[in-house]
Structure formats: C-alpha cells, structure tokens
Amino acid sequence: MTGPVLEQVRAAAPSAAVADGDGLLTVDVEPSEWVLAATAARDHGGFTFLDFLSAVDESDAMRVVCHLVSPAPFQHLMLRCLLAADRPTLASLAPLYAGARWHERETAEMFGISFLDEAGAVLPSPPLLLADGAAHHPLRKSFLLQPRLERPWPGAKEPGESDGDVSSSRRRLRPPGVPEGLA
Amino acid sequence: MTVGLGLPGVGEPRGAADPQPVRATVPGGGSYRLWLYDVGLACCAVEFVAATLDGTLVDQGVEPYAGTPDRADVLVVSGTVTDKTAPAVRRLYDQMPEPRRVISFGSCANSGGPYWDSYSVTKGVDTVVPVDVYVPGCPPRPENLVDGLRHLDVLVAEAAQP
C-alpha cells in the first residue's frame, strides 16, 4: 500500500496501525472501524478482491484476519482486528465484498464469531461443514476432540509407546490440542 | 431357494473356472440380478469405479450403477461420511425398496478410518444405516468389492435357510 492510501485508511479508521506481518503489509484496526477501514482500502487503495477471511483463537481474544488484494498494481493487505473472547461479534464485510459471507459463515461456525449486518443484527449462519444444529466450534482452543481424550494417541515415535505402556522410559505422548493433565 | 440366472453371453459355455454369477436369495425364495447404488463420498469411490470397468461384476449378474436408489438392491457406501452428509445417506437408504442391503466399503465408511478423532466425520456409516458387510482397506482393492458381494450373498442365503 502506498503512503497516501495508508493515509486514507487512517483518515477513515484512526485506530489503524501497521503491524509486523511476516512481509505482508498488515494493518490492525479496532472492531468498530472494521468496515470503515475495508471501505477505504477498497475505494482508495484498489483492494477490490477479498481473498480470504478467517480467525485465530488467541485464547484471551479472537483475532479476525482478512486478506485483501489489489489486482493492479498487485498488492496484498492483511486487515486484522482483535475481538473479546466471550461473545465475539464483528460487522460483516458482505456489503463491500459479495463473497465475504461464505468466509464469515465458515468463521462463525468454526470460531463462534457472530457477524452483524448494517443494522447491528446477527446474520443467520446455518452451518456449512458441520451438521445442522451443531453447537460446537471446532477451531476454538477450548474445543477438545473427545476421542483423543479417550484413546491412546497413535502418533507415537516408538513402537508400544502409544499403547499406554507404563514401563516405557519415555513420557506418554500427549495428543496435540489436549492440555496437560487431561491426557 | 436359490435359483441360478442364465448368463447372457456369446461363445464357449462357461467352465467351472469362469466367474460364476452372484446369486442373492431373498427371503421367500427367488434370485435376482443385483443392482448396486454407490454412494461415492471420497477416494474409495475410485476403487468402486475400478471394480466396474472390466465387466467382472456384470458377468456375475451385478449391475453396478442402478442410477436411482428406488431400484437398487445394495447400497455401497464408499468414502468418508460426515455428520453433514449422513442424513443424505440415510435418505438414500430410505428410498430403497425392501429387501435392501448395505455394504460399507473402506475404512472411513467402516469406522471413520484415519479421521477417527475428527469433529465432523461420522464414526462409521453403521451409526446411520444398518450395515451387512464391512469391506476393510484404505482403500480396499477393487476385487474386495466382488469379495464383499460374495460375503453378502452367503449371508443372505444363510438367512433364507428354513
């Protein structure tokens, strides 16, 4: 993003701050300025294409990540914002990018983040990948895979290790995603 | 009662070493040409298709592609059943006429397979529909489908014994 465009985004969303994003231009904004920042990026920066939108569970907060692309000149923009971990809500980008709802619905079912329409009402998000009526959000860190708690982890390095072999000198392998003390 | 069906074909009469028809006996007697309906949900479906390519199944009195479930005798579930697709599999089963049989083809359909700890994969299609024959393998070889059908034939014939 060229300097003037960043200025435009800052003018629309004063909270916008450039963050370290592993080479990609990454801008953090406050949730209240989410749509404003995206609008400025689209209208003044040429970021007309929404590549993806997803989230990261950072345990104490939910971070929504949105990758925008400007086709010509070709540029990336990673737009991020941090939401409270309990009942996270964010305004939908669907009025700006027609494809945004698909990503938002996936994010809603995987992370339990509600997306709001322009009037502030929660947009309906029937599950895309989970069974209808599923109440769990599998990509949250607090979500544990029940079979991993109940069975020995098969991903052992040595034979016999995963069978719960107590004579093994090695510590019993803890399945990924299962906290200490539960497995 | 098991009745052999005449095989369509040309040329020399078949010998004992040639493939024999799969003869399924229904309760009440009689034998019929088996029509399969494949629910191909993942890569096992490729093995199902491979089993149908050389005419082995047709030679043995099996029509591999029933086209619609309402004229199918055997539902073959080949692939990963998810909680999202499970109702659709159930609906196909419900649309099949009696007597109907189910073959679970491959590890995923049998038990969830490599997705045993997944949050979205159904741990075996037998939680959705009753399964008669489980064909193991990840994926099973195409010949295993023929083998599974033979097992089903034996099961059905045994069940029909007075």
Side-chain angles (χ1 to χ4, degrees):
Chain A
M1 196 194 294
T2 50
V5 179
L6 188 55
E7 291 306 309
Q8 296 272 15
V9 171
R10 280 217 176 102
S15 68
V18 176
D20 177 26
D22 288 326
L24 286 182
L25 179 65
T26 305
V27 175
D28 284 326
V29 296
E30 287 294 319
S32 56
E33 296 171 349
W34 179 245
V35 176
L36 294 172
T39 308
R42 187 192 66 164
D43 295 345
H44 303 298
F47 290 94
T48 52
F49 179 69
L50 181 137
D51 182 35
F52 71 81
L53 184 148
S54 189
V56 182
D57 183 353
E58 304 201 345
S59 294
D60 50 346
M62 290 280 177
R63 190 185 294 279
V64 177
V65 182
C66 174
H67 184 224
L68 302 174
V69 173
S70 159
F74 191 77
Q75 280 178 318
H76 303 273
L77 170 61
M78 200 69 96
L79 205 58
R80 308 189 303 186
C81 77
L82 215 52
L83 305 176
D86 57 323
R87 305 187 60 80
T89 56
L90 188 63
S92 170
L93 293 185
L96 298 178
Y97 300 98
R101 268 312 280 156
W102 179 270
H103 300 267
E104 288 173 356
R105 281 177 61 184
E106 270 194 344
T107 309
E109 74 179 300
M110 288 296 157
F111 292 93
I113 295 173
S114 301
F115 287 87
L116 312 174
D117 65 11
E118 287 154 305
V122 174
L123 287 161
S125 286
L128 294 164
L129 302 166
L130 301 177
D132 292 336
H136 55 287
H137 306 296
L139 292 189
R140 280 194 174 191
K141 284 208 178 5
S142 57
F143 177 81
L144 298 179
L145 294 169
Q146 197 63 30
R148 289 194 182 183
L149 299 178
E150 291 168 358
R151 294 184 197 197
W153 178 241
K157 294 192 186 79
E158 302 293 338
E161 213 173 40
S162 61
D163 307 335
D165 182 7
V166 286
S167 67
S168 168
S169 58
R170 285 171 182 264
R171 175 176 68 87
R172 195 184 150 196
L173 222 62
R174 194 155 47 87
V178 175
E180 200 106 35
L182 271 176
Chain B
M1 188 177 72
T2 303
V3 181
L5 291 176
L7 285 170
V10 292
E12 294 295 311
R14 278 163 194 276
D18 291 331
Q20 297 301 306
V22 174
R23 290 178 299 190
T25 311
V26 293
S31 180
Y32 60 112
R33 193 171 174 82
L34 272 185
W35 289 60
L36 308 187
Y37 189 91
D38 178 39
V39 192
L41 297 170
C43 31
C44 280
V46 179
E47 307 299 324
F48 178 92
V49 173
T52 69
L53 291 181
D54 69 351
T56 306
L57 284 177
V58 175
D59 280 354
Q60 301 187 53
V62 176
E63 170 56 48
Y65 298 108
T68 64
D70 57 2
R71 61 185 178 197
D73 306 305
V74 179
L75 191 73
V76 181
V77 183
S78 54
T80 316
V81 184
T82 61
D83 295 344
K84 187 77 171 179
T85 49
V89 175
R90 178 71 211 188
R91 202 174 310 131
L92 286 171
Y93 178 79
D94 289 341
Q95 288 169 358
M96 289 169 65
E98 293 279 3
R100 52 193 169 179
R101 301 286 171 171
V102 178
I103 292 181
S104 169
F105 189 68
S107 292
C108 283
N110 290 347
S111 66
Y115 310 108
W116 61 279
D117 59 353
S118 162
Y119 56 77
S120 59
V121 172
T122 305
K123 309 300 180 292
V125 73
D126 54 4
T127 61
V128 184
V129 295
V131 173
D132 297 278
V133 173
Y134 299 84
V135 179
C138 184
R141 293 180 64 85
E143 302 92 296
N144 295 137
L145 178 65
V146 183
D147 202 39
L149 285 166
R150 288 196 184 287
H151 277 285
L152 183 63
D153 192 26
V154 170
L155 280 179
V156 172
E158 281 175 1
Q161 296 295 324

